[in-house]
Amino acid sequence: MKTLVIISHPDILESGSQQFLLNAVPSEGVTIHHLESTYPSGKIDVQKEQELLDAHDRIIFQFPFYWYSSPAPLKQWQDDVLTNGYAHGKADGRLAGKEFGLVFMLGVHEREYQAGGRELFSISELTRPFQAMAHKTGMTYLRPLTVYQFAYMTDEEKMDLYIRYQQKLTNENSESLASRERWVSEQLRQLNTNDLEPGAEDILNHAADLMETNRTTIDELQVVLDQMW
């Protein structure tokens, strides 16, 4: 699977959250595409962008959540690139069958995005235009990865974000709990053991075995639930 991450951010080099996520990007299988750097004049090469989309299986929009939407360059990208006859039309467009997801950063606490909260509406409600775009173009909409108040995150929360972000980019079934556990298990087994302290390799292998056991239990439980229904 090949993933295209389309980023819109006016000052990506000075953004702590963006730099953190960029450091988490795997070395293979992921293309990072920052719109403001690629098109400083704002004039988008539509053919180039459509070719990029064609070459990838999963499309991710990554951006700070400005006024309940994306920055203007990403909206312009949608207007220019997702044309009738390419992304939608009478027949299935060229994006049909691909996956689409969001990764975005918010400066407000998660609890505020609900009825009665300061922002009043949920994230699911506020991202309906992106869901509609995925539906119209025939893409499968993935659950968004939302990053709340990155500057206030603890080290443990940042490590969790690091893992969830990598899963969003590379895990072929990122919505499944069993799949996420399988992904972590595979990552543990692929670590370069030459750089580990004595005994650490055994600990990692044991952790991977435990996760595999838990995954099997989850799979068995799913079979039981399926039979009940």
Side-chain angles (χ1 to χ4, degrees), residues 149-207:
Q149 297 184 305
F150 176 82
Y152 297 100
M153 280 185 167
T154 65
D155 289 343
E156 291 79 8
E157 289 171 334
K158 288 181 179 179
M159 182 54 64
D160 178 65
L161 171 62
Y162 189 98
I163 293 172
R164 288 189 294 126
Y165 182 66
Q166 287 197 334
Q167 289 179 327
K168 179 63 67 177
L169 301 188
T170 63
N171 189 3
E172 293 192 13
N173 185 11
S174 61
E175 307 298 284
S176 162
L177 175 59
S179 176
R180 294 200 300 269
E181 288 192 345
R182 185 183 298 111
W183 181 91
V184 173
S185 177
E186 291 173 354
Q187 298 303 307
L188 289 174
R189 296 188 189 281
Q190 292 173 10
L191 285 175
N192 186 353
T193 56
N194 294 328
D195 298 331
L196 299 177
E197 296 291 332
E201 181 179 358
D202 292 337
I203 295 174
L204 289 177
N205 286 333
H206 179 61

Side-chain angles (χ1 to χ4, degrees), residues 104-125:
F104 55 93
M105 297 72 192
L106 307 100
V108 179
H109 196 281
E110 181 178 7
R111 64 174 173 266
E112 303 296 347
Y113 287 93
Q114 59 181 320
R118 192 168 68 187
E119 304 298 333
L120 188 59
F121 300 101
S122 70
I123 289 298
S124 180
E125 291 173 300

Side-chain angles (χ1 to χ4, degrees), residues 12-72:
I12 193 170
L13 294 179
E14 297 300 321
S15 169
S17 59
Q18 293 293 335
Q19 291 302 311
F20 176 85
L21 294 180
L22 288 175
N23 286 330
V25 174
S27 58
E28 297 180 355
V30 178
T31 301
I32 298 297
H33 186 43
H34 180 227
L35 295 180
E36 285 85 344
S37 297
T38 305
Y39 302 112
S41 68
K43 183 174 177 56
I44 294 175
D45 185 334
V46 174
Q47 181 177 346
K48 174 185 174 182
E49 295 301 308
Q50 292 178 347
E51 289 173 353
L52 263 178
L53 292 172
D54 290 341
H56 293 81
D57 309 296
R58 178 176 294 176
I59 314 301
I60 301 293
F61 283 1
Q62 182 171 311
F63 55 89
F65 205 51
Y66 287 169
W67 280 107
Y68 313 109
S69 187
S70 65

